[in-house]
Amino acid sequence: MRVTGLRLVNFRNYPSLSLRPDAGLCVLTGENAAGKTNVLESLFLCSLGRSHRTVRDGEMVRAGEAFASVAVDVDTRGGPRRIECKLFPGDRKKTMIDGAPITRSGELLGCLNVVMFAPEDLALVKDGPGERRRFLDMAISQLRPSYYYTLQQYNNALKQRNALLKDAEGLDYDALACWDEQLSVLGSAIILARAELSERLGMIAAEQHETLSDGAESLVAEYEPNVQPEAANELTKTLRLALADSAERDIYRGSTSVGPHRDDLKLLINRTDVRVYGSQGQQRTTVLSLKLAQLEILRAEKDDSPVLLLDDVFSELDRNRQKMLLIAAQDCQTFLTCTHLEEVAAAGVEQMQVYQVADRRVIEV
Ligand SMILES: Nc1ncnc2c1ncn2[C@@H]1O[C@H](COP(=O)(O)OP(=O)(O)OP(=O)(O)O)[C@@H](O)[C@H]1O
Ligand SMILES: [Mg+2]
């Protein structure tokens, strides 16, 4: 798929902006704080319904303005599509696909698939398990939007169970059993989907990592579930029993201690935990391998290449890694930001569309 048009109004630092990007590589270059990442963020927003760097949608509205809008035209195998997102400070955003408002945020998933590489990605390795769960969840949701709904329902049931646990005095055991039942059905679907994706992801990421490190490092990315996956029927039962077993402790703590909301993705390089002991370079390479694996799975499953968003990542990579990234990007439309255009040219890129970002404008050069 490819983005054929992008129009921003009052988005971040742009009063108004209109782009008609080419199919191949689009480079956005300019000084720090010029507004390069903002452009990628607007595409990410139309892909996943949220920013990659804030949970507060209002931040994306240009300071002092009452609304912002982003409109993206996409060419997909299934034909052209227009995605529009309107943002309001202090109010819910509105999203439309081909002019029709969507009622559930999951409807957006799959319309425009993007894979982003950004400096913030390092959190995927360095931060807590929540980041890695989010990565798995977003990757699965792009492949299968129904997963996103299951996840929403699970989180909702979890919230309800936790609220119930906090009221230990008059605890309603029937209601607790009811939430346990829901959590075990929804939770087992999540565990199985995560186990399946982690296995594929782990295999491809290991290959990528071996190439990126010239054979020196072997990466193991492995699902670290809180409750072990097994056959679907059994798993639901196991989860239900685990929830019942932990009820007493959960009442004491006021929260639910078992289930996929406690999962992690184990990351080892040469048998050492990258999350704790990895060097900056190893952590960066691990993220790159995982993202390249995500890209490959998305491409294979959807039979349509996603759009790549490469934010500021080029300058931090050595030549070998830059080349790998460019090879992976070959048949994808790619938006790349950089402060120094020479770096991209030096990596051997011949054909590219270059935009200069300055003074709240983006001009093709
Ligand atoms: N809501 C907003 N209203 C107005 N301006 C904003 C808003 N949010 C961010 N900005 C401005 O956008 C600019 C930052 O944009 P962006 O992060 O895209 O820069 P960049 O070109 O990617 O810079 P760098 O090279 O440092 O990553 C800053 O000047 C910031 O003040
Ligand atoms: Mg930036």
Side-chain angles (χ1 to χ4, degrees):
M1 50 180 66
R2 68 171 272 230
V3 172
T4 53
L6 170 69
R7 200 171 147 66
L8 306 180
V9 177
N10 295 335
F11 185 86
R12 293 280 189 190
N13 64 332
Y14 296 105
S16 147
L17 175 72
S18 183
L19 294 185
R20 302 236 133 246
D22 284 349
L25 177 65
C26 299
V27 178
L28 296 147
T29 183
E31 308 263 293
N32 289 131
K36 304 179 295 294
T37 303
N38 294 345
V39 174
L40 302 198
E41 185 182 34
S42 71
L43 292 169
F44 191 94
L45 173 71
C46 285
S47 169
L48 286 146
R50 48 168 295 223
S51 161
H52 69 289
R53 51 180 178 178
T54 177
V55 288
R56 288 170 293 275
D57 290 338
E59 277 176 27
M60 291 180 276
V61 180
R62 188 166 142 79
E65 300 294 342
F67 78 98
S69 82
V70 182
V72 178
D73 290 307
V74 192
D75 248 354
T76 71
R77 275 201 196 280
R81 275 238 163 93
R82 166 170 275 230
I83 303 163
E84 285 172 275
C85 196
K86 278 203 163 182
L87 303 160
F88 309 92
D91 205 352
R92 287 169 73 92
K93 63 176 165 289
K94 292 194 177 112
T95 307
M96 282 170 291
I97 300 171
D98 295 331
I102 62 169
T103 48
R104 301 204 290 176
S105 50
E107 287 173 52
L108 185 61
L109 296 168
C111 291
L112 165 62
N113 284 324
V114 303
V115 176
M116 185 172 225
F117 295 75
E120 291 87 350
D121 290 340
L122 215 50
L124 179 56
V125 178
K126 286 173 78 165
D127 285 10
E131 284 293 327
R132 290 178 286 282
R133 285 194 297 271
R134 206 203 319 273
F135 170 68
L136 291 178
D137 290 340
M138 290 229 268
I140 304 170
S141 299
Q142 278 196 322
L143 293 170
R144 216 158 11 98
S146 63
Y147 176 83
Y148 180 77
Y149 295 121
T150 307
L151 196 68
Q152 275 186 330
Q153 286 174 308
Y154 179 85
N155 288 333
N156 184 41
L158 184 67
K159 226 195 262 168
Q160 305 280 354
R161 186 183 193 264
N162 287 342
L164 206 65
L165 292 170
K166 290 201 169 72
D167 184 21
E169 295 276 298
L171 190 70
D172 182 344
Y173 282 93
D174 286 342
L176 191 65
C178 180
W179 290 122
D180 285 6
E181 179 60 29
Q182 285 217 29
L183 283 174
S184 44
V185 173
L186 298 163
S188 47
I190 292 169
I191 295 168
L192 291 173
R194 283 185 186 163
E196 192 196 336
L197 182 82
S198 305
E199 199 182 333
R200 289 179 72 184
L201 203 67
M203 238 153 46
I204 303 171
E207 282 167 21
Q208 300 283 7
H209 198 97
E210 199 183 337
T211 317
L212 286 169
S213 64
D214 268 335
E217 292 180 358
S218 90
L219 173 73
V220 173
E222 206 172 70
Y223 186 34
E224 203 169 56
N226 178 258
V227 174
Q228 288 299 326
E230 46 189 321
N233 284 347
E234 289 299 313
L235 181 56
T236 308
K237 210 164 85 191
T238 307
L239 201 49
R240 197 189 303 120
L241 288 175
L243 284 163
D245 278 350
S246 68
E248 209 169 303
R249 183 180 48 200
D250 290 355
I251 292 166
Y252 177 73
R253 294 168 34 145
S255 66
T256 304
S257 55
V258 295
H261 58 287
R262 306 290 299 271
D263 285 350
D264 202 347
L265 185 70
K266 183 160 69 182
L267 300 168
L268 306 176
I269 289 182
N270 299 345
R271 299 206 192 86
T272 304
D273 196 330
V274 201
R275 296 170 294 189
V276 188
Y277 301 106
S279 72
Q280 282 266 8
Q282 285 179 321
Q283 293 181 337
R284 260 199 204 108
T285 307
T286 302
V287 173
L288 192 57
S289 306
L290 286 172
K291 292 279 181 131
L292 287 171
Q294 182 199 357
L295 168 66
E296 199 168 312
I297 294 171
L298 202 53
R299 185 164 20 205
E301 285 277 311
K302 291 284 170 187
D303 195 24
D304 200 353
S305 46
V307 174
L308 288 194
L309 306 176
L310 308 183
D311 188 22
D312 236 12
V313 285
F314 224 58
S315 56
E316 287 166 359
L317 301 174
D318 60 26
R319 256 319 125 70
N320 183 32
R321 285 163 174 76
Q322 287 181 346
K323 272 212 184 94
M324 288 271 294
L325 198 51
L326 289 175
I327 290 169
Q330 245 165 15
D331 60 346
C332 295
Q333 184 187 34
T334 302
F335 292 83
L336 182 151
T337 73
C338 64
T339 40
H340 297 96
L341 192 58
E342 313 83 72
E343 282 169 11
V344 187
V349 180
E350 282 156 16
Q351 277 240 313
M352 57 182 159
Q353 188 181 21
V354 178
Y355 289 105
Q356 186 71 44
V357 185
D359 303 325
R360 285 178 246 121
R361 286 186 305 162
V362 177
I363 293 164
E364 192 174 349
V365 289

